[in-house]
Amino acid sequence: MANNDAADFDVKIIKWNVVAFWKWIASEEECGICRFEFEACCPDCRLPGESCPMAEGKCHHYFHLHCIQKWIKNVQSKRKCPLCRQDWSYVEDSSEIVL
Amino acid sequence: MTQALNTQKSDTFDRKWSDIVRTISSVIRLEGVDRKKWNDSFSDVYALCMPYPVSYADTLNNYLEKFFEQHVLNIKYELDSCHRIHLLNQYSTQWNMFNDGVRYLNSLFSALNSRNAKKGMFDSRQANRLLLSLYGLLGDESKLEVSSMALKCWKEKLIIPLNERLTEAVIFEMQNDRQEVTYRTQIHDLVKSYIEVEAWQVMGQLFYYTHNLEESLLRAERDNYRNEAAARISDSSSTIGDYIQWAHRQLKTARDFGRQYLHAGTQIKLCREIEDRLLVDYLDRLKDEAVHLINKQDFEQLSVMYRLFKDVPEGLSGISDHLQTYYTEQGMNVIHKLKTSKNYQDYITNFLRIHTRYLEITTEYFSADSYSKEAMDHSLEKIVNSPEFTCDGAKAAEILAKQCDAILRKGSKIVSEAEVDERLTQLVTIFSYVDGKDIFLRFYSRNLANRLINSTYISQDSEENMIQKLKACCGYSYTNKLQRMLQDIRISEDLRIKFQLKAGEKNILKVLVLQSGSWPIQRRTAPSFQLPEDLTPLLMGFENFYHSQFSGRTLQWLHYRSTMEVSMTYLKNVHVVVATTYQASILLLFNKQDKVTLEDIMQLYCLPEEDVTRTLASLVESKILQEESQLGGTEYLLNMNYSNKHFKFKIASTMLKDTASDRNNVHHSINEDRKIFLQAAIVRIMKARKAQTHNQLISEVVEQSKSRFQPNISIIKKCIELLMEKQYLVRAEEDKTLYRYCA
């Protein structure tokens, strides 16, 4: 190989087509209520994806948004997280990221 | 009664009546009355009907009735003495005259009519009377309109006594010469008279007509046609074909004659009667002939027969069965000849040819009626799903999916949008007959994924177009994943443009961000894969950008699906090669060193041995790398003399080469999917119905899955057992064939 000069590239990338899946950021794989993956949808939805998002509570428990909404509406829930019994409130900083 | 009348009437009435009688005697004979005479009588009638000083309306009514009675009786005597040959003619002349005369009289007596009507209006029992008259039960007390009174009289005093003779005359005329009935108008008049004498009743039931003239007519025609049909069919000098032609003509003549000269209801009954005698009585023999015609391919003749049988109950069912058998056999012969062909297109072309031919036959000869269409559809289904319809191991669903790919992929020879559309429509036509629509979907979505990820689709519009066609055929849920794949591509395109603005002109990165549920891609990736150092920041840059666009989401890179375009400047002629990320990563190593070993790569990129071996093999096979066996193991070098006639080319990847095992994998996973689909269907049904017998359940499951695939009964049974094990269902204790849903 005549060319030993490292600066002079022999092989050069012109274009790179990368494929990726997007996932919800969560420390868990599945919803604590319906036990379906976040990449699947809640039992009431027919299609996964943007229309069935994930929600995170301040207690760092994750659910499908629809699942936890349904739980909170239930009077017996007393608006507590179904996993740790702390008062439920959504993590707000997710909206900050959008900006 | 006469005495009572005598006491009532006065001189005024007598004088006026004798004037009126003179007028009406002329009118009823249509002899012509001068204006003065008519006007005088009109005002006489008016005066008699006036309530002051004395109303003679009732008397007038009675006298009029008597007048009609006498007049009709006179006509009857005339007809009585009439010879049979002239009877019809005479009757029709008399009836027409009478009918017209009565109409004039009705207006002459309008004063009487309106008085009678008024009287009726104040009658408290009017509602009752209406009801009674509906059933023809109204007694004498009712006052009819003058014209109705006359018609009623004609019926009672003339038609009823003469009915037998009149009927006989009509039947004689009709049978005398079926083709050339001389007294058509007379027959028409007669039938009309029968109907009109009853039609004035509020809901004219035509009771007398249907039970006398019509019934006799039908009976006579029945006997007549029965005899004639028997003679024709046993006549050895004429064929069944001739018989069919004859029957066709007979029916047509009868229909035309009936429409013009008979009552509408009678015409229908008459045609039905003739159909029964000519066709239904010989149904079996005629059907044998139909089979014969089908085998002879004499569709012209068959078409006549088909049209004849259309209105006959159960007439077409047998014929269409045979048609179906014939279609299937013919089609299978064509497909059978292709046995040795390894060209998918041969199967497609031939099937389309069969389809076109059958469609032609169906529309041209059978006016595309539902029976013949069904025969065609069933036979085409059989053909396309038969084991013979297999090319090089691929069944119809796979063949179709491959052909779709060939059309929609870059490099197909079809250029014009219209032709693409036409070809796709043809494929969808075949697709609609295919059983394993889920198998097609599996192959199709994988091909679509490849086209979209590698940007080898001809246009998004064509892709969208095809998806719409499939949607029209199988519904929304069938195509919704395909639709979402296209959507991902559109979103990624927007994203790329935004990212390009941010990253600047020199950006080489293009990212497709996909929804994990919709794509037929495994999430399998070597998680440990370490990108070449200089590439990592690029991806980090995009990740940051992505987070700024979508919160709460992260990206999972699928490097094994990613590709790079790499220029190889070390060669005499510079080449650009399209390679997978793994392949390109290995090539990049040669910027820093002359030779690499398998272990180097594994260590540097943290890839499992299997992946590295396969990637190296593909590079060696395409002659970009050379192997050199050394003591310590194999070393890989760049092939400095590499050349290719194309400036830009793709390294064939060894990954997707093994089609046979690949097909097995697909079929295996499809079987798994079907089981899940069936279980879901069973649970859905049982949840809704709570309890269901075995057979009901099976048939409903079949119904639900029909649009996707034809389920195997034994698999359904297995699924039911599985669900019972999981305690979704239990067998009812009292009835072993019954299942109950466990909530």
Side-chain angles (χ1 to χ4, degrees):
Chain A
M1 319 286 141
N3 198 344
N4 286 327
D5 189 352
D8 187 8
F9 287 123
D10 287 331
V11 178
K12 209 160 146 191
I13 303 171
I14 309 172
K15 228 185 214 170
W16 190 16
N17 300 317
V18 197
V19 183
F21 279 143
W22 63 263
K23 285 177 67 173
W24 302 107
I25 302 174
S27 59
E28 301 184 36
E29 287 286 314
E30 53 192 39
C31 167
I33 294 176
C34 69
R35 287 288 168 192
F36 281 121
E37 288 175 44
F38 291 118
E39 266 55 55
C41 53
C42 77
D44 295 334
C45 283
R46 292 188 59 202
L47 300 171
E50 281 155 86
S51 55
C52 187
M54 188 202 67
E56 185 188 356
K58 283 209 170 132
C59 56
H60 300 299
H61 285 122
Y62 300 89
F63 307 98
H64 285 120
L65 181 64
H66 298 154
C67 289
I68 191 69
Q69 278 173 342
K70 212 160 118 185
W71 170 254
I72 294 298
K73 261 187 223 151
N74 188 338
V75 185
Q76 285 177 323
S77 73
K78 296 179 185 148
R79 300 190 61 86
K80 289 183 189 304
C81 169
L83 292 182
C84 62
R85 307 269 168 194
Q86 294 181 53
D87 286 341
W88 174 266
S89 56
Y90 295 98
V91 166
E92 280 137 23
D93 56 54
S94 56
S95 55
E96 287 162 27
I97 297 176
V98 175
L99 302 169
Chain B
M1 187 170 152
T2 332
Q3 267 185 350
L5 277 175
N6 274 337
T7 49
Q8 264 183 33
K9 72 179 180 187
S10 68
D11 291 347
T12 346
F13 180 81
D14 281 341
R15 207 179 54 242
K16 290 203 161 144
W17 173 246
S18 60
D19 284 346
I20 294 172
V21 164
R22 263 197 297 281
T23 314
I24 61 178
S25 304
S26 314
V27 171
I28 200 108
R29 292 191 180 84
L30 302 180
E31 282 168 357
V33 177
D34 63 54
R35 182 174 286 273
K36 186 173 179 304
K37 222 171 139 192
W38 173 275
N39 285 346
D40 286 348
S41 294
F42 191 87
S43 39
D44 282 347
V45 171
Y46 184 79
L48 288 175
C49 290
M50 283 302 284
Y52 300 104
V54 185
S55 166
Y56 296 105
D58 290 346
T59 325
L60 188 60
N61 221 44
N62 289 332
Y63 269 65
L64 205 54
E65 211 171 335
K66 282 222 151 342
F67 168 79
F68 283 134
E69 219 174 290
Q70 195 52 49
H71 181 71
V72 170
L73 276 177
N74 286 340
I75 295 173
K76 183 189 169 268
Y77 293 139
E78 233 173 90
L79 291 176
D80 269 342
S81 57
C82 189
H83 189 268
R84 191 179 75 173
I85 306 171
H86 307 298
L87 181 64
L88 266 188
N89 219 350
Q90 278 293 320
Y91 178 87
S92 123
T93 321
Q94 290 292 356
W95 158 256
N96 284 333
M97 192 195 285
F98 180 78
N99 196 23
D100 287 348
V102 163
R103 213 164 298 147
Y104 292 127
L105 289 183
N106 200 40
S107 51
L108 185 65
F109 285 89
S110 56
L112 182 64
N113 279 339
S114 65
R115 191 192 157 275
N116 284 341
K118 238 183 234 163
K119 210 179 153 199
M121 246 168 54
F122 293 115
D123 193 323
S124 59
R125 289 175 301 164
Q126 204 206 357
N128 253 334
R129 296 177 70 189
L130 196 68
L131 209 65
L132 284 172
S133 72
L134 277 178
Y135 295 99
L137 296 172
L138 210 54
D140 286 338
E141 50 182 332
S142 70
K143 292 278 184 290
L144 299 174
E145 235 185 27
V146 170
S147 60
S148 310
M149 181 206 290
L151 290 172
K152 190 173 168 229
C153 180
W154 182 272
K155 175 185 166 191
E156 278 162 6
K157 302 292 173 215
L158 198 144
I159 289 186
I160 295 179
L162 282 178
N163 177 43
E164 230 163 278
R165 285 190 69 205
L166 290 170
T167 310
E168 192 192 343
V170 173
I171 291 170
F172 177 78
E173 276 311 324
M174 282 182 68
Q175 291 180 355
N176 204 13
D177 188 351
R178 198 165 303 285
Q179 301 299 323
E180 210 52 61
V181 185
T182 349
Y183 291 107
R184 289 190 165 184
T185 41
Q186 282 80 352
I187 294 175
H188 177 61
D189 288 339
L190 179 88
V191 171
K192 216 175 123 202
S193 75
Y194 267 73
I195 287 161
E196 283 202 10
V197 295
E198 289 189 295
W200 54 266
Q201 290 164 354
V202 179
M203 293 283 269
Q205 293 257 322
L206 304 185
F207 188 81
Y208 187 77
Y209 168 70
T210 38
H211 283 81
N212 290 282
L213 183 61
E214 187 185 59
E215 207 175 280
S216 317
L217 248 171
L218 291 176
R219 196 182 320 118
E221 292 291 270
R222 179 188 314 145
D223 295 341
N224 184 41
Y225 277 105
R226 181 184 290 133
N227 296 337
E228 210 163 331
R232 291 249 172 192
I233 204 134
S234 54
D235 181 1
S236 53
S237 64
S238 71
T239 62
I240 299 273
D242 295 339
Y243 179 82
I244 297 284
Q245 295 285 0
W246 173 76
H248 179 63
R249 276 198 308 276
Q250 290 302 311
L251 262 168
K252 190 178 171 324
T253 327
R255 197 169 291 134
D256 289 349
F257 177 76
R259 193 180 301 131
Q260 279 182 41
Y261 299 106
L262 298 179
H263 183 236
T266 315
Q267 186 236 337
I268 295 167
K269 285 184 204 163
L270 183 64
C271 287
R272 170 89 31 203
E273 190 64 52
I274 298 175
E275 274 166 13
D276 281 357
R277 296 294 76 80
L278 298 190
L279 305 174
V280 178
D281 286 354
Y282 301 102
L283 204 56
D284 291 341
R285 273 181 78 176
L286 295 177
K287 279 186 180 174
D288 287 348
E289 172 68 9
V291 178
H292 186 58
L293 289 176
I294 290 171
N295 292 334
K296 259 188 1 192
Q297 306 199 22
D298 188 348
F299 291 111
E300 203 79 49
Q301 182 81 273
L302 193 63
S303 153
V304 176
M305 200 148 159
Y306 208 86
R307 257 176 285 155
L308 274 180
F309 276 57
K310 212 167 174 172
D311 302 323
V312 177
E314 297 298 310
L316 288 184
S317 59
I319 299 184
S320 64
D321 285 351
H322 285 292
L323 204 57
Q324 188 182 328
T325 321
Y326 165 78
Y327 281 155
T328 316
E329 269 172 24
Q330 292 287 308
M332 288 311 295
N333 283 344
V334 176
I335 299 302
H336 201 72
K337 282 185 198 133
L338 297 174
K339 217 168 158 186
T340 50
S341 168
K342 294 222 166 193
N343 186 352
Y344 288 172
Q345 189 59 37
D346 283 349
Y347 283 82
I348 302 288
T349 319
N350 276 292
F351 186 85
L352 283 173
R353 206 173 290 147
I354 298 169
H355 177 259
T356 317
R357 169 83 183 119
Y358 291 175
L359 200 62
E360 259 170 33
I361 296 177
T362 311
T363 40
E364 191 174 332
Y365 296 111
F366 307 125
S367 48
D369 96 310
S370 61
Y371 276 110
S372 64
K373 261 203 160 137
E374 214 173 280
M376 175 181 107
D377 289 345
H378 281 317
S379 58
L380 288 173
E381 264 168 37
K382 263 192 198 149
I383 294 167
V384 82
N385 294 310
S386 72
E388 256 111 295
F389 203 98
T390 307
C391 178
D392 201 12
K395 305 258 298 158
E398 191 180 342
I399 295 177
L400 283 174
K402 287 260 168 67
Q403 290 307 106
C404 288
D405 189 47
I407 294 169
L408 289 166
R409 199 174 47 203
K410 254 186 208 160
S412 78
K413 289 186 190 91
I414 312 160
V415 231
S416 79
E417 192 103 331
E419 204 187 337
V420 169
D421 183 68
E422 192 195 319
R423 294 281 296 277
L424 291 177
T425 310
Q426 289 175 345
L427 291 176
V428 173
T429 310
I430 307 178
F431 167 74
S432 65
Y433 294 109
V434 170
D435 240 1
K437 297 205 165 47
D438 52 346
I439 303 177
F440 173 86
L441 185 62
R442 187 63 66 96
F443 284 109
Y444 186 84
S445 70
R446 217 169 53 177
N447 291 336
L448 176 63
N450 285 337
R451 288 199 297 275
L452 294 179
I453 289 177
N454 302 332
S455 299
T456 48
Y457 53 91
I458 44 173
S459 77
Q460 283 196 17
D461 287 347
S462 299
E463 294 290 355
E464 181 67 46
N465 181 11
M466 180 63 188
I467 291 174
Q468 290 306 331
K469 285 185 206 301
L470 293 175
K471 190 164 156 187
C473 192
C474 293
Y476 171 76
S477 67
Y478 187 77
T479 52
N480 99 50
K481 280 189 180 176
L482 305 178
Q483 204 104 50
R484 287 155 67 93
M485 282 158 73
L486 264 192
Q487 196 191 344
D488 277 350
I489 294 298
R490 284 194 203 109
I491 294 172
S492 294
E493 186 60 22
D494 290 348
L495 216 56
R496 189 186 69 81
I497 292 168
K498 277 189 202 157
F499 183 64
Q500 189 75 24
L501 283 175
K502 201 166 160 262
E505 282 296 306
K506 282 185 182 159
N507 172 46
I508 55 165
L509 188 64
K510 184 183 156 195
V511 182
L512 288 178
V513 183
L514 315 177
Q515 261 175 66
S516 56
S518 315
W519 292 73
I521 299 175
Q522 293 155 351
R523 257 185 282 175
R524 181 188 76 91
T525 179
S528 53
F529 175 60
Q530 197 71 45
L531 276 172
E533 282 166 31
D534 13 338
L535 294 180
T536 325
L538 269 177
L539 286 192
M540 293 287 285
F542 186 84
E543 247 168 13
N544 286 335
F545 165 75
Y546 190 76
H547 288 315
S548 72
Q549 298 289 320
F550 298 95
S551 69
R553 294 188 190 180
T554 180
L555 295 172
Q556 186 184 12
W557 302 106
L558 302 170
H559 290 299
Y560 79 104
R561 293 300 309 235
S562 308
T563 54
M564 282 187 188
E565 282 177 31
V566 180
S567 75
M568 302 192 288
T569 47
Y570 60 89
L571 295 171
K572 206 187 281 166
N573 297 317
V574 176
H575 282 296
V576 171
V577 53
V578 181
T580 64
T581 305
Y582 293 167
Q583 286 166 339
S585 302
I586 292 173
L587 289 180
L588 283 174
L589 287 178
F590 291 98
N591 283 332
K592 288 180 187 152
Q593 51 200 96
D594 292 340
K595 48 186 96 175
V596 294
T597 62
L598 187 108
E599 289 75 23
D600 285 348
I601 301 168
M602 281 170 61
Q603 217 167 23
L604 198 60
Y605 292 145
C606 305
L607 275 172
E609 184 175 347
E610 191 197 345
D611 283 335
V612 181
T613 322
R614 193 190 295 134
T615 315
L616 280 171
S618 70
L619 288 170
V620 171
E621 203 172 292
S622 58
K623 299 213 168 72
I624 292 173
L625 292 191
Q626 289 172 322
E627 318 180 72
E628 251 174 43
S629 296
Q630 301 284 338
L631 273 175
T634 314
E635 287 186 339
Y636 296 87
L637 309 165
L638 283 178
N639 173 9
M640 301 308 283
N641 300 318
Y642 182 81
S643 76
N644 193 315
K645 58 182 174 200
H646 299 292
F647 167 68
K648 189 172 169 180
F649 63 93
K650 197 177 164 186
I651 306 176
S653 112
T654 46
M655 252 168 74
L656 300 166
K657 269 190 177 165
D658 198 4
T659 45
S661 75
D662 184 47
R663 187 177 293 141
N664 283 339
N665 283 342
V666 168
H667 283 286
H668 182 74
S669 70
I670 276 177
N671 280 335
E672 290 307 306
D673 279 5
R674 284 183 177 185
K675 274 183 205 153
I676 290 169
F677 182 93
L678 290 173
Q679 287 179 37
I682 295 169
V683 171
R684 254 199 315 274
I685 294 163
M686 291 306 291
K687 201 170 178 177
R689 311 267 164 155
K690 302 297 175 218
Q692 195 82 320
T693 68
H694 181 75
N695 289 340
Q696 280 172 330
L697 182 58
I698 297 267
S699 72
E700 254 192 84
V701 171
V702 172
E703 192 56 38
Q704 282 204 8
S705 29
K706 228 164 52 186
S707 68
R708 294 222 160 188
F709 59 94
Q710 202 65 42
N712 190 328
I713 305 291
S714 69
I715 293 178
I716 301 181
K717 278 185 189 157
K718 259 186 209 151
C719 289
I720 295 177
E721 273 161 31
L722 206 78
L723 287 171
M724 285 200 292
E725 251 169 57
K726 291 185 188 166
Q727 300 190 331
Y728 279 88
L729 311 177
V730 283
R731 242 185 250 281
E733 278 179 16
E734 71 277 10
D735 183 355
K736 287 292 170 200
T737 61
L738 196 70
Y739 300 111
R740 280 187 205 291
Y741 180 69
C742 306

